[in-house]
Amino acid sequence: MSDLTEPLIEQGLVARTAVQGCSEDEIAALMRAQGVTELPRAYREFLAWGGRNPYWLSTSGEWDYDWLLGAKDVAREIVVDDHQQDFTPFAEAFVLQTFPGVSVLLFQSL
């Protein structure tokens, strides 16, 4: 992750203090909140390095730690209420970003 962040920091595009990671306890809390038992290794690394408040990387959508704690419910609302679709196929997925009323990005184990 430092290969991604250091050039941005050195060029003054991102403040070093903006890159905040999640603790292992916080990552475990996210997994519990969303009802998953595993995450892709690369995503866990991202969360630990700078995923607590990732808007230093992209301001698009909602994907910070506090939002992710309830993101599964938001995703369910988007799929069921806004698009009248069945959420069952995504019940065991981890929602990593939402664009309220529009779309959901998620990881799902196969």
Side-chain angles (χ1 to χ4, degrees), residues 85-98:
Q85 299 294 316
D86 181 15
F87 193 75
T88 305
F90 312 111
E92 295 182 21
F94 181 86
V95 176
L96 68 119
Q97 189 173 23
T98 64

Side-chain angles (χ1 to χ4, degrees), residues 1-11 13-14 19 45-46 49-50 54 56-58 63:
M1 290 299 303
S2 64
D3 291 346
L4 171 67
T5 56
E6 286 307 315
L8 297 173
I9 291 168
E10 289 172 7
Q11 293 176 36
L13 299 172
V14 171
V19 182
E45 180 182 344
F46 170 75
W49 184 267
W56 59 270
L57 182 60
S58 172
W63 64 318

Side-chain angles (χ1 to χ4, degrees), residues 50-67:
R52 186 165 214 317
N53 185 5
Y55 299 115
W56 59 270
L57 182 60
S58 172
T59 59
S60 183
E62 300 283 353
W63 64 318
D64 61 85
Y65 174 80
D66 292 327
W67 180 261

Side-chain angles (χ1 to χ4, degrees), residues 17-36:
T17 57
V19 182
Q20 303 168 17
C22 295
S23 69
E24 284 300 316
D25 288 343
E26 289 171 325
I27 293 170
L30 286 175
M31 294 172 66
R32 280 191 308 277
Q34 292 207 24
V36 300

Side-chain angles (χ1 to χ4, degrees), residues 93-109:
F94 181 86
V95 176
L96 68 119
Q97 189 173 23
T98 64
F99 299 85
V102 180
S103 65
V104 175
L105 301 178
L106 51 86
F107 295 121
Q108 188 152 352
S109 298

